[in-house]
Amino acid sequence: MESVERLCLSQKLRQVCLDTATTSASASASTRSAEGNVYHSISPADGLTAISENEVLDMLSSQDFFCTPDFVTPTEQQIVVDFDGNKEKGNVSPPKGLTPMRSKRPRPGWLSGNHPHSELEIYCSDLPLEAHFSSFSASKCEQLYDDTASCPSSTNARLAALRRRALSPPCIKNPFLYNDPEIGTSTNKLRAKFQGAGTSCLSRYREEFHEIQEIGLGNFSRVFKVLKRIDGCFYAIKRSLHQLRQDGQRRQAINEVQALAAIDSHENVVRYHTAWFENDYLYIQMELCDNSLRSWKAEAYPPPEKSLLGGMLQIIKALAHIHSHGLVHLDIKPDNIYVRKGIYKLGDFGRATRLDGSISVEEGDSRYMPLEILNEDYSQLQKADIFALGATFYELARGSPLTSSGTQFQALRQGKHALLPGFSLPFQNLLKGLMHPISKMRPTAADLLNHALFNHGKDAYFVQHLKR
Ligand SMILES: Nc1ncnc2c1ncn2[C@@H]1O[C@H](COP(=O)(O)OP(=O)(O)OP(=O)(O)O)[C@@H](O)[C@H]1O
């Protein structure tokens, strides 16, 4: 290996070891040998023995370290998920130009160039095949990963354990959790420790997921469709647009994670799986949805009233659920309502806050906010969600985007709605009620569940008319 690459790796390794040593000072101790080598003796619980820096560097710089790890798949296995997401055992078409092989397990000599290619590696690789097996250097790895520290892990147990320790997430109190004495007492003692968390670690994103494509871009994040290597399922991964180096930025970014984690899973709320920091980016793994209501095809207007009511009911269920957990969403709009297999799901909890006002309020999109929120009156936060729900479905029925200022903006906040041709009076009255200028006059989500207008069936209309 070139000396520059070796030096680079050495620095990364030193950082990983430093992180390891600081995060577990009680379990680890560093000593310096007579030759000047730094040794990190790691507690027996980790199954590690003392490793010299040079020794680990040799392992890191070996080809073995850089090759995609075997994710404990059986020999002769069949990939069960094809790239369209169809789960058909043994009926998988490989991407063009790639020939899948049957054997998964590395065999003797597989690194020498005379090896069977693992199916998973072939399907999930971003590199030409030969890069996996021959002359796979740190510089090639850097092409694939953000930096040398993001390269995939070794199968070597000691390195894996070392990496796991470097990845240990900080313990942060979740302010969204109400009355949980166990969490309260234990986390009160732990101080938020953001700085440096996840900075010098290997890429969990690249190691655990194969990126299929970018599917969304927001003001703060990019969203990717990914395939999780170990379970073969598709997910959405939301990655912050920028590196979050300040504590404040990180706190703000994890707001969404904490809100999602604090509410029990619900059919009409986008499912949260996990989150982590990597290279100062926040990654959130979520359920993959088909699309958002924003992407509704223009020619599909006006939607049938029945479809709007069916969709609205599902979001009301989501609201009743999160309000019952003491949370409010505060950014309900067509962009944040997703559809998956005909089920409507509320997503993007980046502005979620607590009903009791104990967490600062960050207003959502002003086009959907009621006047009291714009005037910083936060006494009826759950009614702001109801207003936004009404504005969202008013916009969908109207077929053109709401404005963030001007006559129409003012009129809607004074309870003056333009008539919606083709929609029944009860439906229009329902929207008026949701957008009532006085927050107390708006119904609660729980009230709405019993509203006579809602029929409780699913409707395929939106699903058919959404484009990806
Ligand atoms: N779970 C998901 N499944 C499918 N697509 C998604 C998912 N989450 C987000 N998207 C897509 O990515 C886009 C951006 O996501 P999101 O709105 O959460 O990002 P953001 O940066 O928080 O946005 P905002 O600018 O509204 O604050 C969405 O409009 C949607 O199209």
Side-chain angles (χ1 to χ4, degrees):
M1 177 172 292
E2 295 297 322
S3 58
V4 176
E5 288 164 351
R6 194 176 172 87
L7 182 64
C8 170
L9 274 171
S10 169
Q11 282 170 346
K12 289 293 176 189
L13 172 66
R14 196 167 291 121
Q15 187 59 50
V16 169
C17 293
L18 275 173
D19 288 349
T20 305
T22 48
T23 50
S24 58
S26 60
S28 309
S30 301
T31 53
R32 186 172 287 277
S33 72
E35 306 84 58
N37 284 339
V38 179
Y39 288 82
H40 299 285
S41 55
I42 298 170
S43 72
D46 296 305
L48 299 178
T49 52
I51 314 168
S52 83
E53 186 171 320
N54 281 339
E55 198 181 336
V56 180
L57 186 56
D58 283 342
M59 284 186 277
L60 283 168
S61 53
S62 74
Q63 288 194 351
D64 194 19
F65 179 78
F66 288 110
C67 287
T68 310
D70 184 342
F71 286 92
V72 201
T73 39
T75 52
E76 304 297 330
Q77 70 131 28
Q78 300 284 321
I79 295 283
V80 290
V81 179
D82 68 16
F83 273 74
D84 295 325
N86 300 321
K87 295 189 178 184
E88 275 185 51
K89 205 167 185 179
N91 184 18
V92 178
S93 313
K96 276 185 189 148
L98 296 176
T99 312
M101 304 290 284
R102 284 181 175 270
S103 175
K104 277 276 312 122
R105 291 213 174 276
R107 292 178 184 157
W110 73 297
L111 286 172
S112 64
N114 190 13
H115 43 260
H117 299 159
S118 123
E119 280 175 342
L120 193 61
E121 284 155 7
I122 294 168
Y123 278 88
C124 299
S125 173
D126 300 306
L127 273 185
L129 278 179
E130 59 273 15
H132 275 294
F133 302 107
S134 59
S135 63
F136 191 68
S137 65
S139 57
K140 274 192 177 155
C141 188
E142 281 171 35
Q143 290 165 16
L144 176 56
Y145 298 97
D146 294 341
D147 59 22
T148 44
S150 302
C151 294
S153 72
S154 165
T155 49
N156 183 294
R158 287 190 296 169
L159 286 173
L162 193 61
R163 186 188 70 241
R164 275 199 298 277
R165 296 184 56 139
L167 279 169
S168 294
C171 297
I172 304 154
K173 185 178 175 188
N174 184 336
F176 289 101
L177 294 172
Y178 281 72
N179 307 327
D180 190 331
E182 200 189 340
I183 291 175
T185 48
S186 55
T187 53
N188 275 343
K189 295 173 191 159
L190 297 165
R191 274 181 304 153
K193 192 180 156 199
F194 295 111
Q195 208 61 47
T199 44
S200 299
C201 55
L202 305 165
S203 175
R204 176 172 170 182
Y205 178 58
R206 295 289 177 184
E207 185 183 322
E208 291 188 12
F209 303 95
H210 169 65
E211 190 176 294
I212 308 285
Q213 67 184 109
E214 184 175 320
I215 53 172
L217 177 63
N219 291 318
F220 304 99
S221 337
R222 275 179 203 288
V223 180
F224 299 92
K225 178 181 179 179
V226 298
L227 175 67
K228 186 158 184 176
R229 295 180 194 270
I230 200 161
D231 65 17
C233 293
F234 290 109
Y235 295 93
I237 294 244
K238 184 168 171 175
R239 193 186 85 165
S240 56
L241 267 186
H242 307 290
Q243 286 180 303
L244 310 167
R245 296 213 169 90
Q246 313 290 331
D247 280 8
Q249 292 175 317
R250 286 177 174 245
R251 277 181 204 282
Q252 209 172 349
I254 62 167
N255 191 64
E256 177 169 12
V257 174
Q258 294 189 323
L260 283 167
I263 49 180
D264 300 331
S265 65
H266 187 276
E267 186 184 37
N268 302 117
V269 174
V270 172
R271 196 167 178 198
Y272 159 76
H273 290 275
T274 187
W276 69 97
F277 277 108
E278 182 174 314
N279 272 341
D280 293 322
Y281 290 98
L282 175 64
Y283 289 75
I284 308 176
Q285 182 194 346
M286 296 174 296
E287 168 182 23
L288 177 69
C289 298
D290 303 327
N291 226 318
S292 79
L293 291 188
R294 171 64 69 207
S295 53
W296 205 359
K297 289 177 198 158
E299 65 267 22
Y301 283 104
E305 184 176 307
K306 188 169 147 266
S307 303
L308 287 179
L309 283 169
M312 195 193 290
L313 175 63
Q314 295 187 45
I315 300 307
I316 289 169
K317 286 180 183 170
L319 283 181
H321 179 71
I322 65 171
H323 290 174
S324 74
H325 278 74
L327 271 80
V328 277
H329 186 277
L330 282 195
D331 201 16
I332 292 171
K333 56 180 177 177
D335 314 59
N336 293 337
I337 296 176
Y338 306 129
V339 183
R340 178 183 153 93
K341 296 180 183 165
I343 310 279
Y344 294 68
K345 301 194 179 247
L346 188 55
D348 192 358
F349 280 67
R351 300 227 166 53
T353 188
R354 274 174 64 142
L355 263 172
D356 64 8
S358 57
I359 306 180
S360 64
V361 171
E362 227 203 295
E363 294 159 17
D365 193 324
S366 61
R367 289 174 295 172
Y368 308 89
M369 286 291 107
L371 209 53
E372 77 266 9
I373 295 293
L374 301 173
N375 291 334
E376 299 189 8
D377 169 4
Y378 304 141
S379 58
Q380 294 278 319
L381 285 176
Q382 72 276 39
K383 298 295 183 72
D385 278 350
I386 300 296
F387 182 95
L389 176 78
T392 296
F393 281 86
Y394 179 75
E395 179 181 288
L396 292 171
R398 235 174 56 116
S400 57
L402 298 182
T403 54
S404 54
S405 60
T407 326
Q408 183 216 57
F409 175 88
Q410 299 291 347
L412 282 181
R413 276 146 194 87
Q414 290 162 10
K416 297 176 191 159
H417 293 64
L419 279 177
L420 295 168
F423 289 91
S424 73
L425 211 55
F427 176 74
Q428 300 195 45
N429 283 337
L430 171 67
L431 293 181
K432 271 187 120 175
L434 298 180
M435 297 174 74
H436 200 287
I438 303 168
S439 59
K440 284 189 181 142
M441 300 300 285
R442 293 172 212 143
T444 63
D447 295 338
L448 286 166
L449 288 177
N450 299 316
H451 198 287
L453 266 184
F454 296 116
N455 79 55
H456 290 242
K458 284 183 204 165
D459 195 294
Y461 188 82
F462 280 92
V463 186
Q464 286 162 7
H465 294 94
L466 292 175
K467 55 185 175 204
R468 166 60 73 201

